[in-house]
Amino acid sequence: MNEQVRRLQEELRRAHYVAEEGLATVLYLAQRLARPLLLEGPAGVGKTALAKALATVRSVNLVRLQCYEGLDASQALYDWDYPKQLLMARTALADGAVNQAALYSEPFLIERPLLRALRERPAPVLLIDEVDRADEEFEALLLEFLSEFQITIPEMGTFRADEPPIVILTSNRTRDLSDALRRRCLYVWVDYPSLEQEADIISLHVPEIAPQLAKQVARGVRRLRKLSLLKPPGLAESIDFAQALTELGAEELDEDVIRLTLGCLLKTQEDMDVLREKGLDVLWSA
Amino acid sequence: MERLTAEVLGRLTGDIVKQVIGFAPWLRKRGFRAGIPETLTAIAALAELNVDCMEEVCSAFRAIYARTPAEWGIFPNLFEQYFFGREVRLEEKRRLQPDELAGGAGAGERASRPPVDVVQGFLAGYHPDDGERFALRADERVLKDVVQLTRLAVRRMNAPRGRKWRLRGKEKIDLRQTMRCALRRAGEPFVLKMRKRRPDKPRIVLMIDISGSMKPYAPFITSLAWSFTRARARTQIFLFSTRLLRVTSLIARKGVAGIPFSDLPGLRGGTRIGGALEQLLRRYPSLLHRRTCVIIVSDGFDAGHPQRLHSAMRDLASRVGRVVWINPLLGEPGYEPKSTGMSAALPYIDAFVDVHDVATWKKVVTGGALRTAAP
């Protein structure tokens, strides 16, 4: 393995993120080639956590843009401070004519996450979270940013990053992203981890847990994911569950403990009914 | 686009570069949309990696060339085939021939013919779609009318303005508009512009049955599906037979030009509506909520267990705002929805309509069958 990739893997682990070799390689390349990284996968597999861990590793800020329906340029790129502009215009009127160029200048500019990520030093990690929730129009808005790392403000000109930020986009695939967006990014499908990896992640986040119990939890959660659940438990749920078991002093999984802590794993009544129907022993039986 | 420097290229041998250059066209034949930008990125990536460690190279190339989970899944296999020389055995389709041609008279002529796979005994397989180029293709003659009607339908589907929408002196000033307006009057905000709320785009999930029995209606239904991608709505389109496949971008891009069979893997023969609905509920729960209108286009002939369809329809109806079932057979004289599938689904359907051409679609749209319930 490439020495730098191995070092990145170790540093991520110190930041409480277990990245397999493939993911670490792509992450290394994303930094070296200055390409955005698009992470797709089921909810709760650690897509957002990767951006946080990377920001910790690089000791830089994490700038987060949480996407939602109706997100537009004034929320994502920049906006003008209109009350301040109006005040300025009124004052200027008293003195004579209004200087329009002065009204659209730096003091009146409000930076939103994308512009902030371009101008911040040292270059931060920019997380564009759940980009599939935003509208298609917003995707088009991102294209200039993702390919050139620049933003054009008509009144002021083009801002270009001297040092491009590390951009991580995440998507849960509630809708297909456009080809134009995909081809500007390196792509990684992040799936649920293997049994050993999941046990490793649980032990890393809950150091007090016994290795045997961590493996039992990982195995049980994997079985739950195979059931037809509305919201299959992700890694965050596994860690919460392990944490709850440790707090309750449980040494192994049994019916009583699971009944008390089921809310850590399953988040809907329908899913709980499905599990009760199958039997709680799905989680620990051989 | 990646810009390669002489330094980057200097680290790689000409043979490696040549192999990587040939990889994108090779992948394109297998359905990948790889081009020159991907090749340049791959070469730049190679310069950063240890070329001796092929696993590392595979991981990097996977991130560069794959763009969907399906491509992500098959990439390592393709990478191995290309770079380790394990070529695909069945590269092109070969025509099946009956056994009369296998021997006896005419054997001498056969030597000059192109090689074909010879099947002994009987025709090994036949499918009614064999020889057809496209699985789905919109009927171009009706597109204009269908798009107009669909836009009208979508406009009518907008949720009506409820109590909260009425102006009660709580409207907010739109400072951006006010400021722009003020600049025309020397910065004096004479006119206060108020913020206007645009009604939400309706959410539509369109599920289309593409089993053999629906084949006569496929061109019109494809036009209908395509028209939804051109309307102001958040539409997701799925095809189903025995499994479910999301095809929103495929229909939007290729619906009119034609979608070949190769783009729809595993969607041939049989209908299991219950199973497809279960997959929809399990895999795409975030698409289904109170304001979603689910439109199922199917004749209701179901090969699955009726109980499965019944429970899937019950779950679906409880989660979404409206379920509309389009059955093209409904207009046929003497047809009654008595098939097991239809009987299981009927109690959970809000509107059961016949749409198989422009006239019937117009009737449904103007009749208000697609209008969603007020939230």
Side-chain angles (χ1 to χ4, degrees):
Chain A
M1 201 201 302
N2 190 317
E3 189 50 43
Q4 283 101 326
V5 174
R6 196 202 310 277
R7 201 179 306 144
L8 178 62
Q9 217 174 353
E10 282 164 11
E11 284 172 345
L12 283 171
R13 195 181 171 82
R14 277 200 289 278
H16 286 204
Y17 193 91
V18 180
E20 42 102 18
E21 193 189 330
L23 180 59
T25 306
V26 178
L27 201 55
Y28 167 72
L29 280 179
Q31 296 178 71
R32 295 289 302 165
L33 304 179
R35 295 291 290 265
L37 183 60
L38 170 62
L39 304 174
E40 279 196 330
V45 290
K47 299 186 291 292
T48 306
L50 177 63
K52 290 180 189 166
L54 189 63
T56 311
V57 165
R58 292 172 61 93
S59 308
V60 294
N61 284 340
L62 174 74
V63 177
R64 182 172 178 163
L65 174 64
Q66 180 65 50
C67 297
Y68 54 86
E69 283 172 22
L71 179 66
D72 61 7
S74 64
Q75 294 300 316
L77 300 179
Y78 67 92
D79 205 356
W80 295 105
D81 190 341
Y82 298 109
K84 207 169 159 185
Q85 280 181 325
L86 273 174
L87 202 64
M88 171 76 173
R90 297 278 294 167
T91 316
L93 192 63
D95 301 340
V98 179
N99 181 358
Q100 194 171 332
L103 278 182
Y104 290 97
S105 58
E106 193 70 41
F108 301 97
L109 186 67
I110 302 173
E111 285 181 353
R112 298 294 190 207
L114 297 187
L115 185 60
R116 193 160 80 242
L118 276 192
R119 307 211 305 175
E120 200 170 297
R121 291 286 165 281
V125 172
L126 170 66
L127 169 65
I128 304 178
D129 210 7
E130 303 191 345
V131 69
D132 52 327
R133 284 177 183 259
D135 303 299
E136 281 164 27
E137 294 85 344
F138 177 72
E139 264 184 55
L141 200 73
L142 277 179
L143 297 181
E144 182 193 9
F145 180 86
L146 293 180
S147 56
E148 305 293 334
F149 290 108
Q150 67 178 35
I151 289 173
T152 304
I153 301 176
E155 296 89 350
M156 289 181 77
T158 300
F159 288 89
R160 194 184 171 90
D162 299 328
E163 188 190 343
I166 308 291
V167 184
I168 294 183
L169 299 99
T170 72
S171 159
N172 291 330
R173 281 179 61 77
T174 54
R175 69 174 176 82
D176 282 333
L177 300 177
S178 70
D179 247 17
L181 182 81
R182 286 176 184 277
R183 61 195 304 245
R184 280 164 174 79
C185 306
L186 298 182
Y187 176 81
V188 178
W189 173 259
V190 188
D191 213 340
Y192 293 114
S194 64
L195 175 65
E196 289 74 24
Q197 233 181 349
E198 187 153 1
D200 193 15
I201 294 166
I202 292 170
S203 301
L204 197 65
H205 284 84
V206 191
E208 310 84 40
I209 198 168
Q212 204 52 40
L213 184 57
K215 206 160 187 178
Q216 213 181 0
V217 168
R219 195 177 295 123
V221 173
R222 279 171 71 80
R223 283 184 189 154
L224 277 188
R225 287 183 195 134
K226 285 180 186 157
L227 300 180
S228 179
L229 300 177
L230 291 176
K231 166 122 187 40
L235 269 173
E237 281 79 16
S238 302
I239 293 167
D240 283 352
F241 184 51
Q243 189 84 54
L245 293 176
T246 318
E247 294 295 331
L248 293 175
E251 288 173 359
E252 60 171 14
L253 295 183
D254 58 43
E255 196 163 344
D256 291 336
V257 173
I258 288 174
R259 192 166 291 127
L260 291 171
T261 53
L262 197 56
C264 298
L265 281 176
L266 301 180
K267 306 296 166 86
T268 66
Q269 186 57 39
E270 289 87 346
D271 286 349
M272 288 188 181
D273 290 344
V274 169
L275 182 62
R276 285 192 194 107
E277 209 173 283
K278 297 266 177 197
L280 293 179
D281 60 339
V282 169
L283 275 160
W284 75 85
S285 63
Chain B
M1 189 185 284
E2 221 61 50
R3 285 174 188 86
L4 292 180
T5 59
E7 193 198 351
V8 168
L9 282 171
R11 280 186 231 157
L12 304 167
T13 65
D15 193 37
I16 292 178
V17 173
K18 204 171 157 188
Q19 280 186 56
V20 177
I21 289 171
F23 192 40
W26 189 84
L27 282 177
R28 276 202 297 273
K29 283 186 195 163
R30 282 144 189 89
F32 280 60
R33 289 186 290 274
I36 293 167
E38 283 75 19
T39 303
L40 293 176
T41 311
I43 293 172
L46 275 185
E48 300 288 340
L49 297 171
N50 179 6
V51 184
D52 294 334
C53 179
M54 287 308 271
E55 280 181 10
E56 204 173 289
V57 176
C58 179
S59 300
F61 279 19
R62 198 184 195 186
I64 293 164
Y65 289 104
R67 286 194 205 135
T68 63
E71 290 176 359
W72 180 261
I74 61 169
F75 187 85
N77 198 11
L78 293 175
F79 182 85
E80 205 170 298
Q81 279 173 25
Y82 183 81
F83 287 102
F84 295 99
R86 292 180 202 162
E87 268 298 329
V88 191
R89 283 180 197 161
L90 300 171
E91 200 162 50
E92 56 187 279
K93 281 184 184 173
R94 294 181 180 204
R95 198 183 307 149
L96 298 175
Q97 296 272 325
D99 60 348
E100 285 87 20
L101 296 175
E109 294 167 30
R110 212 174 58 245
S112 59
R113 288 181 187 170
V116 290
D117 280 350
V118 174
V119 182
Q120 299 291 331
F122 54 92
L123 276 170
Y126 168 77
H127 193 278
D129 292 333
D130 283 347
E132 285 189 21
R133 195 167 163 209
F134 298 114
L136 291 174
R137 194 176 194 185
D139 184 351
E140 287 181 40
R141 292 164 300 176
V142 299
L143 278 178
K144 198 178 159 192
D145 296 337
V146 174
V147 169
Q148 269 181 0
L149 287 168
T150 305
R151 285 185 178 154
L152 178 65
V154 166
R155 273 204 300 277
R156 291 184 170 201
M157 282 170 88
N158 279 341
R161 294 181 179 196
R163 189 173 50 86
K164 287 183 184 172
W165 288 76
R166 278 181 216 144
L167 301 176
R168 283 186 174 177
K170 285 184 181 177
E171 60 270 48
K172 286 184 179 173
I173 296 171
D174 185 339
L175 281 170
R176 176 189 287 266
Q177 289 291 328
T178 306
M179 186 66 206
R180 291 275 170 198
C181 194
L183 282 175
R184 285 186 222 138
R185 297 173 175 82
E188 191 67 45
F190 281 123
V191 184
L192 287 182
K193 296 277 184 182
M194 294 300 167
R195 228 180 252 179
K196 286 173 194 160
R197 277 189 66 183
R198 224 177 155 195
D200 269 358
K201 290 179 187 173
R203 294 156 195 275
I204 300 160
V205 172
L206 194 60
M207 289 191 66
I208 302 172
D209 178 356
I210 58 158
S211 58
S213 55
M214 289 288 288
K215 199 176 165 189
Y217 310 103
F220 178 76
I221 300 297
T222 311
S223 313
L224 189 63
W226 181 82
S227 70
F228 272 100
T229 67
R230 295 296 184 273
R232 193 181 168 271
R234 294 179 210 279
T235 311
Q236 291 296 320
I237 304 168
F238 295 87
L239 300 182
F240 69 92
S241 56
T242 51
R243 56 176 291 231
L244 186 76
L245 189 67
R246 176 154 64 172
V247 290
T248 316
S249 54
L250 202 60
I251 294 269
R253 208 171 57 240
K254 291 187 179 176
V256 177
I259 302 172
F261 286 101
S262 55
D263 284 354
L264 305 173
L267 282 180
R268 270 188 164 195
T271 316
R272 291 200 177 84
I273 310 173
L277 289 176
E278 277 175 8
Q279 282 184 45
L280 180 77
L281 286 160
R282 198 171 58 243
R283 284 168 50 191
Y284 304 98
S286 51
L287 295 179
L288 310 170
H289 34 90
R290 211 163 49 89
R291 294 178 72 170
T292 307
C293 175
V294 176
I295 303 174
I296 301 170
V297 186
S298 172
D299 53 14
F301 293 125
D302 186 30
H305 197 285
Q307 185 54 40
R308 211 171 163 196
L309 175 58
H310 183 266
S311 56
M313 282 299 293
R314 185 193 56 214
D315 292 350
L316 182 71
S318 66
R319 290 179 62 180
V320 302
R322 194 166 175 82
V323 180
V324 178
W325 192 298
I326 290 178
N327 186 341
L329 296 182
L330 203 57
E332 300 278 329
Y335 172 80
E336 284 185 50
K338 283 184 177 171
S339 67
T340 330
M342 275 316 337
S343 313
L346 270 177
Y348 303 103
I349 297 172
D350 297 299
F352 187 45
V353 292
D354 160 43
V355 176
H356 61 272
D357 57 15
V358 179
T360 47
W361 180 225
K362 187 175 182 180
K363 196 174 157 192
V364 167
V365 172
T366 50
L370 292 172
R371 194 169 300 170
T372 45

